[in-house]
Amino acid sequence: MEARRAYPFDRIEAKWQRVWQERAVFRAANPGEPGAEKPKYYVLDMFPYPSGRGLHVGHLEGYTASDIVARYKRMRGFNVLHPMGWDAFGLPAEQHAVATGIHPRITTERNIAHFREQITAMGFSYDWSREINTTDPRYYRWTQWIFLQLFRRGLAYVAEAPVWYCPALQTVLANEEILPSPDGPVSERGHHPVERRPLQQWMLRITAYAERLLADLDLVDWPDSIKEMQRNWIGRSEGAVIRFSIEGIESSLEVFTTRPDTLFGATYVVLAPEHPLVAKITRPECREAVEAYQREVAKKSDLERAELTEEKTGVFLGAFAINPASRERIPVWIADYVLLSYGTGAIMAVPAHDERDFEFASLFGLPVHPVVRPKDSAAPPAGCFPGEGIACCSQFLDGLRTLEAKSAMISWLEEKGLGKRTIQYRLRDWLFSRQRYWGEPFPIVWRNGEAQPVPETELPVLLPERRDFSPERGGFAPLSQEKGWEELPDGGRRETNTMPQWAGSCWYYLRYLDPGNDGELVSRETERYWMGAKGVDLYIGGAEHAVLHLLYARFWHKFLYDIGVTSTPEPFHRLVNQGIILGEDGRKMSKSLGNIVNPESLLREYGADSVRLFEMFLGPLEQMKPWSSQGLEGPHRFLARVWRLVMEEDAEGRWMPRPDISNEEVPMETRRLLHRTIRKVAEDLECLSFHTAIAQMMILVNALTRRPIPSRIVLEPLILLLSPFAPHLCEELWSVLGHAESLAYAPWPEADPLLLIEEEAEWVIQINGKVRSRMRAALDLGQEEAESLARQRSEIESWLNGKSVQKVIFVPGKLLNFVVARE
RNA sequence: GCCCACGUGGUGGAACGGCAGACACACGGGACUUAAAAUCCCGUGGGGGGAGACUCCCGUGUGGGUUCGAAUCCCACCGUGGGCACCA
């Protein structure tokens, strides 16, 4: 069915997309090129993984927002960097290869072509000369180079550690890729069950940067919720490590606690079941029970240990430790509520002041010694009191507040050599290897059991071609099947793990700056120019990357800063998350619900400008909101109205410029409205309030439609204001009005301050805070004049009749409120 | 359980502590048309009074509070979404 079009968007959109491409309109100038004398503005989208499903309206929302900003900033005189690329390594393409035998490279290329086509059809103003692809050897060469620098500085190391292994995906996964579920932990991708296995893995020492990753959150302009999530993920806690000696044995054990002030109340000690000291200190009579418990924990730890609905369990080792403060003999237990991977893997239990210890002590009949009382109470309460208060029953701490008691205890411990002040982080080192094919190979060769770096001159280490994609059983890397690749003539063997998908996305924003540079990751001069001062000026993407991508990228950026590659401590100055777009039914879009909105049909029916405008008109960018295909009508009609302000149909139905377009001045009311609109749109664009900017332009266009005034004096500024939102339509109208050049770099309209000054205002008159009247009057009335004008109004007169006015609130230019006695 | 965000018409949403519901969608009425579509105009939170121009009351999840005045600030609760979850 050939739908009649409200305006010929199909023709003009194809035309302008071709013009932009042919003239390389959006090419950004690097230092030394004409254009680079302008101030820079770097507006970045989170680059997509090119999946087989193509882009959905959610991607398009973020990309539309960033494109509007990019176009706006160009018109404001900035040299704008607005690039796009592909995060193309990753599991889905490899899973597809396993299933179909088609090489992931083929699938990836096909998907990228589809994505690029969809993006082009939306009219986004990317500088395609900077397009990057993480699977391109010219790109991943530098991913490998960064890894080598990390390795040289001891920040990449091999460790045998219990890691999350997913039998279904046949790979290990990072902590960050595991989700809790009612049936135990599962993989984030695919929700397959995962279990713990001890394997030799590459780790990155992100914990070395924990403090800076935390502190520098203060430097960036990000949503508070994201900062908070990162803070929680890093999980800094201050406390002390305290040494407990073991009765009858030479060795001692260390515990970490955030409450050293409660040491006098420590009535037992708990080790993680896997703690290396357990075998050494367990008494023979307890050995059987302890080992049985360890086996049980090892078996269930995979799935059930993460659940906390279960009752606490543990066993006594038969051994005793000495409380270093009270000199009391206290029992040593193991229990699975203590984790080996945090702190020292051991705790001092203070059941009187810790809920978990209290629960455990109650269950096993262990003693409870209160040593803190609330500020307003003479004695500690019964049960467990985890709050802060005043120390008691603690000898030299008695009477001190919790904060002081902590310091006093730490000083005492340090003096006696029994402990010291410590900071612990919840953040763990980053598990960096994957047993997959479709990822960056490590630039590492094993010789005599030692990992050796591949010389930089030999980069990139190319991923070998493959025919057979079935992964090997048991968690070995597929690359270990490629003997000709793995085994080197000198007897060395290449590392066969590959890097995780996060690797390529950790630094891609830097490669856009200088994508063709084969001598350096990015030239110093270019990096200084584009990342100057604050790094990426605006970064738009989904909140699902709050901790993973954004924490990893910050880590790498700080490392690159330390080795002199980057010049700013933080990569992304301002971060904005677009909200999720729900299906028309208000539920999350998903294949199984059948509520996914296909952008192709919308583009065919309404055109890219309408889709762009509607994506923005839906509501605040950061908010979650449902899609409504019917709602698209509004912005579409609006664009058609703008079209008809300039164009009209002749008898044959051809669109022609209106013959009556003039250069004549327009009525004062219209000029004022135009200039208010200019101001409002610019203000709203600065704070990314796109929907209110559109509403304001609709108000202007509605006024112009009502009383047709086809004058360039109002039409041209309107077209410029609208052009970041609906660039194809506006380019066409701009050229119809006789401009030979694209409007992409036309100066943004300036609001005339004289036209923004109002002389009159509508005053609101209230009685006891309720609006009882309004009047148009001069804006600059004094209180007395305003009051007497208000009192003359009959409705106010009758409201005030017989009442005594106690007070009059006067807000200049706005409001008058008579406060009268209530009977 | 803990942390964070958010609750406004039939719907999406707007509103520096000062006119609640801008702008749209949907719906209803009208103009144009042989008719329809498109377009244009008018109406549209709920309830009451009035023949009428009009007018009064109620209303921003619930209950309190601060204030001359609260959708907006504070407290408690309920609901929705997101994050964390034995991290000592």
Side-chain angles (χ1 to χ4, degrees), chain A residues 207-225:
Chain A
T207 50
Y209 282 76
E211 193 58 47
R212 283 162 68 191
L213 288 170
L214 185 68
D216 289 355
L217 285 173
D218 293 338
L219 304 178
V220 294
D221 178 11
W222 288 16
D224 287 336
S225 59

Side-chain angles (χ1 to χ4, degrees), chain A residues 197-324:
Chain A
R197 282 196 190 180
L199 285 174
Q200 193 166 286
Q201 300 295 335
W202 283 95
M203 309 289 286
L204 294 189
R205 213 178 293 281
I206 189 172
T207 50
Y209 282 76
E211 193 58 47
R212 283 162 68 191
L213 288 170
L214 185 68
D216 289 355
L217 285 173
D218 293 338
L219 304 178
V220 294
D221 178 11
W222 288 16
D224 287 336
S225 59
I226 301 288
K227 287 190 185 187
E228 201 52 34
M229 280 164 71
Q230 292 218 348
R231 284 193 193 103
N232 291 340
W233 193 266
I234 295 166
R236 181 184 200 272
S237 38
E238 291 183 23
V241 167
I242 303 176
R243 200 163 60 245
F244 284 63
S245 53
I246 311 276
E247 190 186 60
I249 301 178
E250 280 297 290
S251 50
S252 58
L253 65 87
E254 292 196 323
V255 303
F256 172 73
T257 178
T258 55
R259 292 294 299 274
D261 61 303
T262 62
L263 180 54
F264 283 95
T267 53
Y268 60 104
V269 168
V270 188
L271 305 184
E274 310 90 338
H275 198 288
L277 224 49
V278 173
K280 198 168 169 189
I281 65 176
T282 304
R283 288 299 170 93
E285 65 271 22
C286 298
R287 188 163 302 274
E288 202 175 313
V290 166
E291 285 173 358
Y293 182 71
Q294 286 179 316
R295 275 195 303 274
E296 197 185 311
V297 168
K299 196 171 55 184
K300 77 165 187 177
S301 68
D302 309 328
L303 299 170
E304 292 141 331
R305 196 167 158 182
E307 288 190 52
L308 67 241
T309 46
E310 302 227 346
E311 206 164 58
K312 290 199 168 26
T313 57
V315 292
F316 178 44
L317 298 184
F320 287 87
I322 305 300
N323 183 323

Side-chain angles (χ1 to χ4, degrees), chain A residues 360-537:
Chain A
F360 191 79
S362 308
L363 203 59
F364 293 102
L366 293 158
V368 179
H369 288 175
V371 292
V372 182
R373 60 176 170 86
K375 275 191 191 67
D376 49 3
S377 157
C384 180
F385 170 58
E388 304 208 335
I390 311 288
C392 58
C393 311
S394 297
Q395 301 178 18
F396 58 90
L397 298 181
D398 284 356
L400 296 180
R401 282 177 302 173
T402 296
L403 191 67
E404 302 156 352
K406 282 181 183 174
S407 291
M409 177 54 87
I410 291 169
S411 306
W412 184 83
L413 289 166
E414 286 178 341
E415 215 171 280
K416 304 265 177 191
L418 293 169
K420 60 176 199 287
R421 186 181 294 277
T422 313
I423 293 163
Q424 279 292 334
Y425 300 91
R426 208 191 73 113
L427 184 70
R428 311 289 152 85
D429 275 344
W430 174 12
L431 178 71
F432 194 65
S433 40
R434 298 291 182 275
Q435 289 68 54
R436 304 300 304 196
Y437 166 68
W438 193 231
E440 298 87 347
F442 282 81
I444 291 289
V445 174
W446 289 90
R447 292 191 178 88
N448 307 318
E450 195 189 323
Q452 297 180 351
V454 170
E456 283 179 24
T457 50
E458 289 175 25
L459 296 182
V461 175
L462 291 171
L463 194 58
E465 284 302 312
R466 289 202 90 198
R467 293 255 164 84
D468 174 21
F469 294 98
S470 55
E472 204 159 288
R473 302 281 139 193
F476 292 102
L479 285 181
S480 62
Q481 297 170 353
E482 305 295 320
K483 297 298 174 202
W485 178 83
E486 183 193 2
E487 293 167 5
L488 300 180
D490 66 357
R493 302 176 83 89
R494 288 193 189 280
E495 171 62 58
T496 54
N497 282 314
T498 53
M499 299 186 197
Q501 194 180 353
W502 309 109
S505 60
C506 267
W507 68 282
Y508 74 108
Y509 58 94
L510 293 172
R511 192 59 179 170
Y512 284 135
L513 311 182
D514 205 0
N517 192 334
D518 287 323
E520 297 166 280
L521 187 157
V522 54
S523 88
R524 177 162 289 244
E525 187 194 11
T526 305
E527 191 278 337
R528 293 283 140 104
Y529 176 74
W530 286 115
M531 295 295 285
K534 287 174 170 176
V536 173
D537 296 277

Side-chain angles (χ1 to χ4, degrees), chain A residues 77-350:
Chain A
F78 288 89
N79 182 24
V80 171
L81 179 57
H82 188 44
M84 181 45 78
W86 318 104
D87 188 15
F89 275 130
L91 277 176
E94 189 169 352
Q95 305 284 63
H96 189 257
V98 172
T100 64
I102 300 172
H103 196 291
R105 190 174 15 78
I106 313 269
T107 329
T108 303
E109 274 168 15
R110 199 161 55 206
N111 290 348
I112 287 175
H114 181 216
F115 268 57
R116 201 189 289 111
E117 203 176 298
Q118 285 186 306
I119 285 175
T120 307
M122 286 291 290
F124 296 138
S125 61
Y126 293 117
D127 177 355
W128 286 108
S129 71
R130 295 171 185 265
E131 178 179 358
I132 56 163
N133 177 338
T134 55
T135 66
D136 181 345
R138 286 180 68 198
Y139 181 89
Y140 71 68
R141 166 190 184 162
W142 297 105
T143 311
Q144 292 173 338
W145 182 86
I146 297 171
F147 178 84
L148 280 184
Q149 312 310 311
L150 287 161
F151 180 73
R152 292 234 170 82
R153 286 161 183 81
L155 293 167
Y157 62 96
V158 173
E160 178 152 331
V163 294
W164 291 109
Y165 178 76
C166 176
L169 298 173
Q170 304 197 8
T171 184
V172 294
L173 297 167
N175 286 332
E176 290 84 345
E177 292 168 308
I178 306 300
L179 296 174
S181 87
D183 308 319
V186 296
S187 62
E188 184 186 37
R189 188 181 289 282
H191 293 81
H192 305 292
V194 294
E195 58 193 49
R196 295 290 247 183
R197 282 196 190 180
L199 285 174
Q200 193 166 286
Q201 300 295 335
W202 283 95
M203 309 289 286
L204 294 189
R205 213 178 293 281
I206 189 172
T207 50
Y209 282 76
E211 193 58 47
R212 283 162 68 191
L213 288 170
L214 185 68
D216 289 355
L217 285 173
D218 293 338
L219 304 178
V220 294
D221 178 11
W222 288 16
D224 287 336
S225 59
I226 301 288
K227 287 190 185 187
E228 201 52 34
M229 280 164 71
Q230 292 218 348
R231 284 193 193 103
N232 291 340
W233 193 266
I234 295 166
R236 181 184 200 272
S237 38
E238 291 183 23
V241 167
I242 303 176
R243 200 163 60 245
F244 284 63
S245 53
I246 311 276
E247 190 186 60
I249 301 178
E250 280 297 290
S251 50
S252 58
L253 65 87
E254 292 196 323
V255 303
F256 172 73
T257 178
T258 55
R259 292 294 299 274
D261 61 303
T262 62
L263 180 54
F264 283 95
T267 53
Y268 60 104
V269 168
V270 188
L271 305 184
E274 310 90 338
H275 198 288
L277 224 49
V278 173
K280 198 168 169 189
I281 65 176
T282 304
R283 288 299 170 93
E285 65 271 22
C286 298
R287 188 163 302 274
E288 202 175 313
V290 166
E291 285 173 358
Y293 182 71
Q294 286 179 316
R295 275 195 303 274
E296 197 185 311
V297 168
K299 196 171 55 184
K300 77 165 187 177
S301 68
D302 309 328
L303 299 170
E304 292 141 331
R305 196 167 158 182
E307 288 190 52
L308 67 241
T309 46
E310 302 227 346
E311 206 164 58
K312 290 199 168 26
T313 57
V315 292
F316 178 44
L317 298 184
F320 287 87
I322 305 300
N323 183 323
S326 66
R327 309 305 303 165
E328 267 180 298
R329 219 172 146 250
I330 58 176
V332 181
W333 288 63
I334 55 174
D336 69 355
Y337 81 93
V338 174
L339 307 174
L340 185 65
S341 52
Y342 183 78
T344 60
I347 62 156
M348 64 180 211
V350 187

Side-chain angles (χ1 to χ4, degrees), chain A residues 56 133 195 284 507 554 629 647 813:
Chain A
H56 53 77
N133 177 338
E195 58 193 49
W507 68 282
R554 292 181 63 220
S629 290
M647 308 295 283

Side-chain angles (χ1 to χ4, degrees), chain A residues 7 13 606-615 632 635-636 639:
Chain A
Y7 71 96
E13 288 180 359
Y606 296 98
D609 285 333
S610 295
V611 174
R612 290 169 61 111
L613 202 66
F614 183 57
E615 289 263 1
L632 227 155
H636 187 61
L639 291 180

